[in-house]
Amino acid sequence: MMRQGKSGTLTQRHDGTGLSDEQVIGLLHKMMEIRRFEEKAAEMYARGKIHGFLHLYIGQEGVATGAISALRPDDYIVSHYREHGHALARGLDPKRIMAELFGKETGVTGGRGGSMHLFDVSKSFMGGYAIVAGHMPLACGLALAEQYKGTERIAANFLGDGAVNEGEFHEALNLASVWKLPVLFVVENNFYGMGTAVQRVSATVEVYKRAAAYGIHSEQVDGMDVLATHEAVARLAQRVRSGDGPAFLEAICYRFRGHSMADPEFYRKKEEIERWRALDPIEQMKRRLLADGLISGDDVARMQAEVDRTATEAAEFAEQSAFPSRESLMRDVYADGARGEEAPHA
Amino acid sequence: MPDITYREALRQALRYQLEHDERVFLMGEDIGAYGGSYAVTKGFLEEFGERRVKDTPISESVVVGAGIGAAMAGLKPMVELMTINFSLLAIDQIVNNASKLHYMSNGQIRVPLVMRMAGGAGSQLGAQHSHSLESWYAHVPGLKVVVPATPYDAKGLLMTAFEEENPVVFIEHTALYASKGEVPEDVYRLPFGAAEVFRAGTDVTLIGYSGSVHQAFRAAQQLEEEGIDAEVLNLRTLRPLDVEGIVASVRKTSRAIVIEDDWKFGGFGGEIVALIQEHAFDYLDAPVLRCSGSDVPMPYSMALEQAALPQEAGIVELALNLCEGVTP
């Protein structure tokens, strides 16, 4: 049963979401887990354990955590390439995600996908995709299939603000609307498509307004506020599930780190980053739960120790795991075992 | 066996799938109310309803992508792209998603999607509607690429395409829809990766697919009058490719010409030539030649279009020279 909080605001949010105290605390815990995991990944990248592109979710934890906690466990998730947070929020094993970043055979896709292509179909986590907006048609198709089968399952499609000027964005919104597909689009507007500010390249800066052109119900939410995000997604998911067609949510957020580990961040000022850091979704939530008396300082320390351990164990697991065998190279190019030619001198 | 058109053969396969597999549905531009740009799906909307036969917006990328997504969720969609020209607007979905998802997901995801489209030239449709881009798709691991030449191929290969657990790019030829041939009324399936000996011969192998099989066959008939016994191979699928069948024929004839509408430079014919020299070099009596389309955007005028495409007379000339030891 819900304890009486000191802050009316939070209690109202509580009531609105129908979340228990434990679940609300769980949201904080999950955000902390994502943050610590990403910090560990950055450390492992610096130590040469992780290669390629590594896009960290640090700063945006409120969006994935708030949104995915508001979905049913079998609702599809189709995400972009900054998707570690979504995978963790959906409950993929941190050890297997870290092993994937290391390129090990114990990774969620056995080292085939890497950071940008995490998949766990058993958890309806239908992947991270690295072509901007190229995953939106897939979300439409998954939703179409469930509509065809007559289930209540919906698809949640995460995308960035960079995706909204791609043709596939407009094609997907239009199709989803005319066919009333059960898909919820969640745009994580962190104000930069890589290093290009939204206002420099977008005719309409308020992204959620674009959905109106397709007759799709759309809203904007403070993505730095995990409860507000949860509340919005829960409501919109219900709407989508009831057969009213797609919905669109713009979550305002900010990434505290560069686009990828290779980003020197010439395009934004330190003061701007500091301004947003003051709105850190994790620190905001900690302050509120402490103020409400739902957690104590000891609880925070205990949770921090737990997520430290999770991240450390993930890195140890990844380190100790084996690389995939050379012999496995050509496996699964085709689902029927048909094989292409392996280059003999590669 | 009844004589039916290539179009009707395709219709029979599609109807069978709709009648026998609830997971199958069709979607594409103008496949319903209009009846299909090449009338392949004419009447299907009335027969099977909007749930199974979906008219889509002109949005190739999301149509193919939605087909991929639906396949990921356990359905067996057939997407009609009208023509291969328009498939270029969906090439991100075909190459970045359809072909790679099974591998990238470590085998967790399957994409049993059939993508039908019409290709080829020779109908005076101009530069943007006269493409033979099959080599682009055949280049991509994870895709299967089917190029039926006859009504018999069309039905048997399309039936097999629906048995696939992989994405299939099924390329029909615009100039063949009205062509006729014998097709069994019963269900049959033709295996992928098995070329057909369209005409047996001993002196030179003419290798074709889709429309060029017929050109090769007509050239072989003319060559017969010149005393040359040409073998004609119908590849049926480009990926998988029947390398063994090609090599077996070339070992017999010691000479080969690839006939294709495709541009010569970087075309599929070049791949066949490379495979022949890798696998049958010692059996060759002459260089392996290509009779391809010219490297030019397709012009509209009949006079120019015919000049840009391989012609029977050209195949005959190349074959005669090859058999007499004269090479270009």
Side-chain angles (χ1 to χ4, degrees), chain A residues 116-301:
Chain A
M116 301 191 285
H117 306 300
L118 305 174
F119 289 84
D120 188 345
V121 173
S122 74
K123 291 189 158 61
S124 298
F125 191 81
M126 306 307 279
Y129 294 84
I131 304 298
V132 173
H135 62 326
M136 297 180 70
L138 305 185
C140 290
L142 289 160
L144 171 63
E146 298 310 315
Q147 182 189 60
Y148 184 93
K149 295 184 222 169
T151 73
E152 287 197 336
R153 213 169 172 187
I154 71 169
N157 185 194
F158 293 87
L159 51 141
D161 51 85
V164 307
N165 294 321
E166 287 279 10
E168 287 178 314
F169 171 88
H170 298 275
E171 291 192 15
L173 259 57
N174 182 63
L175 189 80
S177 184
V178 289
W179 286 359
K180 284 189 175 300
L181 298 178
V183 56
L184 171 61
F185 300 104
V186 180
V187 180
E188 303 189 53
N189 185 355
N190 64 16
F191 299 101
Y192 292 92
M194 210 164 144
T196 302
V198 172
Q199 69 272 14
R200 293 179 57 213
V201 290
S202 283
T204 312
V205 177
E206 289 169 293
V207 167
Y208 75 99
K209 289 185 176 171
R210 296 189 176 217
Y214 300 101
I216 296 175
H217 176 83
S218 69
E219 298 181 13
Q220 202 179 45
V221 71
D222 177 5
M224 306 300 268
D225 181 340
V226 68
L227 279 177
T229 305
H230 177 99
E231 194 177 53
V233 169
R235 192 162 32 74
L236 294 179
Q238 177 52 37
R239 183 190 172 100
V240 169
R241 208 181 300 285
S242 69
D244 282 353
F248 187 102
L249 182 67
E250 177 187 11
I252 302 294
C253 55
Y254 200 81
R255 71 173 149 69
F256 295 163
R257 305 286 288 254
H259 165 72
S260 73
M261 296 301 286
D263 179 2
E265 295 193 70
F266 294 138
Y267 52 85
R268 58 183 191 180
K269 295 197 168 68
K270 280 217 168 63
E271 301 78 60
E272 177 184 304
I273 300 173
E274 289 314 311
R275 225 171 29 247
W276 279 95
R277 276 191 184 276
L279 301 171
D280 188 322
I282 295 174
E283 295 309 316
Q284 272 197 62
M285 190 64 174
K286 268 186 205 165
R287 283 196 299 271
R288 282 157 59 176
L289 295 188
L290 285 166
D292 279 9
L294 290 185
I295 55 170
S296 65
D298 284 352
D299 291 331
V300 173

Side-chain angles (χ1 to χ4, degrees), chain B residues 256-260 264-267 269-270 273 288-292 318:
Chain B
I257 304 173
V258 184
I259 299 106
E260 56 179 358
K264 189 171 190 176
F265 191 91
V273 174
V288 182
L289 301 182
R290 285 171 289 169
C291 187
S292 310
L318 281 180

Side-chain angles (χ1 to χ4, degrees), chain A residues 5-21:
Chain A
K6 287 176 194 165
S7 154
T9 312
L10 182 60
T11 308
Q12 279 162 17
R13 284 264 162 76
H14 242 108
D15 290 343
T17 57
L19 291 173
S20 68
D21 285 357

